[in-house]
Amino acid sequence: GKEKAQISFEHILQTWDAYSDTPKFAFLNAIAAHDYNADWSKVTMSAEFYDNQLSSLLNTMLSRKDANNTVIILRADHGLQYGPLVVDYSTQIEHVRPWTQLIVPENLDGISLESLFANQDKLAGGADLYRTLRALMTITTPGTVEPTEFLPSVPDWSYNLLTSKIPSSRSCNEARIPMKWCRKKELEPRFGVCNTFGGTSQKVHCES
């Protein structure tokens, strides 16, 4: 049969085809790299296969006529936190620095590519992405007025990543990021990573 990634991606493409003239929002939580296996080569191969499927989806989406009005956001968390990969330097760095990629049309109304580029290496968090998404869902739907009485408020300390520039001096406290997830760049990685959701063997690496 088909791989689960292929099924999900096909569903997204079918939705875009069926509602070509209707504003739409799709969310997919893949958990692509959480299929543990005693043979770590199989884990790596599974992740590589998913990458190929994702690449195919992106190529298809960006080749469509409505690509000039479509925003794609890719996010990845810390990945696998057990087994031999835990001691790898990149794994420890990824644990506190989730990866986020925004793909936006160059001429999309209401955005500033200058701000997007400036924010690439700045300290941003989930609240900033939430503000950005809320703004995008408004500007891409002409005439839309947000029913604010039914929606959570947008934190006034957050930034729209596509219209505002995050200060280089922004601190973890200002971004509301817990210090245990906000280690300084100059600190050397330790043997093991802090994972408060894991077993006791992981928690020993957490700061008190």
Side-chain angles (χ1 to χ4, degrees):
K2 295 182 179 179
E3 288 286 336
K4 57 184 179 182
Q6 189 175 359
I7 296 174
S8 301
F9 292 158
E10 286 181 356
H11 182 72
I12 292 176
L13 292 174
Q14 290 168 4
T15 301
W16 252 244
D17 288 335
Y19 302 97
S20 57
D21 298 325
T22 304
K24 45 202 165 289
F25 179 91
F27 174 81
L28 173 61
N29 184 17
I31 317 181
H34 283 257
D35 293 328
Y36 291 90
N37 192 300
D39 185 347
W40 285 89
S41 64
K42 293 183 178 180
V43 176
T44 302
M45 290 177 62
S46 177
E48 291 178 349
F49 179 81
Y50 187 87
D51 284 346
N52 291 333
Q53 294 290 319
L54 178 59
S55 176
S56 177
L57 172 70
L58 293 176
N59 285 330
T60 301
M61 292 293 292
L62 296 176
S63 299
R64 294 174 56 92
K65 293 181 179 180
D66 54 8
N68 62 351
N69 196 32
T70 299
V71 176
I72 301 174
I73 300 177
L74 301 175
R75 301 206 76 197
D77 66 354
H78 52 71
L80 299 177
Q81 292 293 302
Y82 288 98
L85 292 181
V86 171
V87 300
D88 188 270
Y89 176 80
S90 63
T91 301
Q92 300 188 39
I93 294 300
E94 289 172 357
H95 190 74
V96 294
R97 291 181 175 83
W99 181 79
T100 300
Q101 186 79 21
L102 277 71
I103 305 175
V104 299
E106 185 175 4
N107 298 317
L108 186 66
D109 292 336
I111 72 168
S112 166
L113 293 181
E114 181 181 355
S115 295
L116 176 60
F117 294 146
N119 290 329
Q120 289 183 100
D121 59 349
K122 301 301 187 299
L123 183 61
D128 303 309
L129 185 59
Y130 175 68
R131 175 182 283 273
T132 304
L133 282 170
R134 283 278 292 270
L136 279 172
M137 294 173 71
T138 301
I139 65 173
T140 55
T141 309
T144 295
V145 178
E146 285 192 329
T148 53
E149 65 272 23
F150 302 114
L151 293 173
S153 60
V154 177
D156 55 7
W157 46 265
S158 62
Y159 289 84
N160 182 332
L161 302 175
L162 297 176
T163 60
S164 305
K165 295 180 181 179
I166 297 176
S168 300
S169 59
R170 191 186 198 189
S171 67
C172 292
N173 183 54
E174 291 171 334
R176 308 300 197 274
I177 299 176
M179 289 305 299
K180 64 181 178 181
W181 306 124
C182 203
R183 298 175 185 165
K184 295 181 180 180
K185 294 181 179 179
E186 62 267 21
L187 293 180
E188 291 295 327
R190 293 170 293 178
F191 187 88
V193 293
C194 171
N195 185 351
T196 57
F197 301 102
T200 55
S201 62
Q202 293 282 302
K203 292 181 181 179
V204 298
H205 300 293
C206 299
E207 299 175 356
S208 59

